[in-house]
Amino acid sequence: MTDTPETPRDFIRQIVAADLASGKHGQVVTRFPPEPNGYLHVGHAKSICLNFGIALEFGGLCYLRMDDTNPLRESAHFEEAIVDAVRWLGFDWGPRLTHASDYFEQIHGCAIQLIESGKAYVDSLSPEEIRAYRGTLTEPGRDSPCRTRSPAENLDLFARMRAGAFADGEHVLRAKIDMASPNINLRDPVLYRIRKAHHQRTGDAWCIYPMYDFAHTISDALEHITHSLCTLEFEDHRPLYEWILDNLDLPSRPRQIEFSRLNLAYTVTSKRRLAALVESGEVSGWDDPRMPTVAGMRRRGYPPAALRDFASRVGVTKKDHQIEMGLLETCVRDELNRNAPRALAVLDPLKVVLHNWPEDHVEWLTAPNHPERGDLGERSIPFTGEIYIERDDFMEDPPRKFHRLKPGGEVRLRHGYIVRCDEVIRDESGQVVEIRCSCDLESRSGSDNPASQRKVKGTIHWVSASHAVQAEVRLYDRLLATERAEARDEDFRAGLNPASLAVREGALLEPALATAAPGDVYQFERLGYFVADRKDHAPGRAVFNRSVTLRDTWAKIGTSA
RNA sequence: UGGGGCGUAGCCAAGUGGUAAGGCAGCGGGUUUUGAUCCCGCCAUGCGCAGGUUCGAAUCCUGCCGCCCCAGCCA
């Protein structure tokens, strides 16, 4: 996996290839630096595929680095979830699982360096004052009165900050850059703040914690990251990133390159909003199958290879974009079509009695598990005189081109026989409760009888009544009713799709499905791909989640007509 | 209105002065005992707009227009 692509697919890979070709770097080193304060989502998956993918393709290394500089928001639980997600996506960081907190001592040393060289100072303004002094987008800021403190005084103050002599918020350490800079990130950014909080890894060893820009830049340099890839919103931070590199004595000089973050239509890809959905109970958790989190997509039955494929098809640019859900679904279908065994299941059962079928006779039919892959084997399906079909597959007064069951019409029962609808039975309310059919006993699928070659317009799925396995099937749809979420936080939950989850309690499965293990994905023929739920599916209680429907050109004709 | 970015088809995206790749979606057709899969074909006289340079411009220049990001002791 060390082949360098002939034509790098995107501008970042072009830069990497050029840096390798010119000898600027002997080996590429990247990193994926999540903050352990939430679950990873599809946008992170894109970044993971980029960073780990580049390392793989160019024979380099990629670190998985936890950006744990804010003990108030982070937890070991989230860290575990992140590690799980990256591993599940198929990437390997070897011994390179690191933490910004691993470098707290060195980062602290860097702060001292800056103080000594007169490039950082302790500011004793309140948070409100700092904000006021910062100016606005169009007006320059003003120097803090503390800006002229001597290195000696700053050293002393900073030492006492570290020693815990002050309360949260009393002082901060700031870089001395330029309060009049048109780039607000350069108006003496805060480097360290006091936080008397327990850190999940360093415990109570520290009561001052470095800010993102400072910790991140130094961590990159210490790990000899060659290409530090991040999203567009950090573009304005790059001058600060470079300032830090310029003014410190560090072992390497990484280059930051920005790309646009992934936006997916009909869902949210903001950690804050995902957290809001979890906390409000709108979804069952971070791994709810409707969530665009890696955990959610996993539980939904999306294969990791599909997500990698998606990341590669989406590309890497600096353009703002909004990717259609359809592309993700196509990737999922492509992968599952190749690999998922087929099975028969009925979500909304309608009883069918074959009145000429020999009473109590059970015939075990043999069916391949995949139409193109013999290696997936075959299984037996019981055929009997009382079966269930999908309610949608029968219409008393169907439109033209309806290739399913209708009064007097014939259909092929998948892998079985051709049946003709002779009679429709309804209850007092007029609801169709049973169809009585005659079965062409010579028409068994795959038999040598000429009758088995008869062309009938439709083939439908079915399940033997006496062998059916009861199941709960959860049908998922897009999280949002509109393509993009409302801009305002207060409004975005109002845009949720009320039909994002529909439960079919009375679904019936062919008996072979009784042995499905949690996480197994099948194609329920003509319906879609379904995964045995990782949490709720158990022997004796079948629970399947619909990963994605099959492409359905018939449904499309129906809606456009 | 300061600074930083970005505008190529419905959605993505190549393209770096030589006459608009590819994918998704869509449309048409073929195969098919899953209306699936698979296969074939079609789909930008035009690259935000207007000028200019050039034999030649999506690519260079000028001027507009539009969209995104930044004023956390969050990342």
Side-chain angles (χ1 to χ4, degrees), chain A residues 136-148:
Chain A
T136 69
L137 293 179
T138 52
E139 302 156 27
R142 290 139 46 214
D143 287 0
S144 163
C146 306
R147 204 174 197 260
T148 52

Side-chain angles (χ1 to χ4, degrees), chain A residues 372-391:
Chain A
E372 278 130 32
R373 288 187 49 188
D375 61 302
L376 259 27
E378 52 189 37
R379 84 282 187 191
S380 295
I381 309 176
F383 191 94
T384 60
E386 189 174 316
I387 63 173
Y388 287 96
I389 66 168
E390 204 70 59
R391 189 164 284 275

Side-chain angles (χ1 to χ4, degrees), chain A residues 8 38 46 98 185 205 210 242 250 254 275 286 325 343 395 440 451 493 519:
Chain A
K46 170 185 175 180
T98 59
N185 295 294
E242 279 165 356
L250 291 165
W286 287 95
M325 226 1 141
M395 277 185 98
D440 179 347
R493 281 201 282 140

Side-chain angles (χ1 to χ4, degrees), chain A residues 5 53 132 149 225 237 250 254 302 384 412 467 488 524 548 550:
Chain A
R149 291 216 256 235
I225 303 300
H237 294 236
L250 291 165
Y302 288 11
T384 60
R412 156 85 58 190
H467 300 81
R488 297 189 350 167
F524 290 177
V548 64
L550 256 29

Side-chain angles (χ1 to χ4, degrees), chain A residues 336-349:
Chain A
L336 259 16
N337 174 52
R338 275 194 296 278
N339 304 313
R342 313 283 125 126
L344 301 182
V346 175
L347 300 186
D348 186 10

Side-chain angles (χ1 to χ4, degrees), chain A residues 413-552:
Chain A
L413 294 173
R414 179 67 165 161
H415 302 304
Y417 293 80
I418 295 169
V419 298
R420 173 190 305 279
C421 170
D422 296 329
E423 191 181 347
V424 178
I425 297 173
R426 19 173 112 269
D427 62 13
E428 314 75 52
S429 65
Q431 158 100 323
V432 176
V433 292
E434 182 182 320
I435 309 289
R436 297 184 65 81
C437 292
S438 46
C439 178
D440 179 347
L441 272 3
E442 302 298 305
S443 66
R444 198 189 80 223
S445 195
S447 68
D448 293 330
N449 295 330
S452 74
Q453 309 299 326
R454 285 173 52 211
K455 297 288 175 197
V456 287
K457 45 199 149 191
T459 298
I460 64 174
H461 57 279
W462 56 276
V463 160
S464 163
S466 50
H467 300 81
V469 174
Q470 290 263 7
E472 174 180 325
V473 174
R474 299 165 180 170
L475 307 177
Y476 296 102
D477 200 356
R478 49 185 60 146
L479 242 194
L480 295 179
T482 54
E483 210 169 72
R484 334 177 64 109
E486 290 298 325
R488 297 189 350 167
D489 271 0
E490 313 81 73
D491 299 336
F492 103 89
R493 281 201 282 140
L496 291 175
N497 172 15
S500 61
L501 169 62
V503 180
R504 296 274 179 280
E505 303 275 3
L508 298 173
L509 317 176
E510 66 163 274
L513 249 13
T515 57
D520 286 352
V521 186
Y522 295 86
Q523 182 194 106
F524 290 177
E525 293 203 35
R526 303 210 309 128
L527 294 173
Y529 297 94
F530 294 77
V531 62
D533 189 74
R534 299 180 69 226
K535 282 189 168 170
D536 300 332
H537 179 87
R541 172 167 151 68
V543 179
F544 281 84
N545 302 324
R546 184 173 66 196
S547 310
V548 64
T549 60
L550 256 29
R551 272 186 75 234
D552 187 350

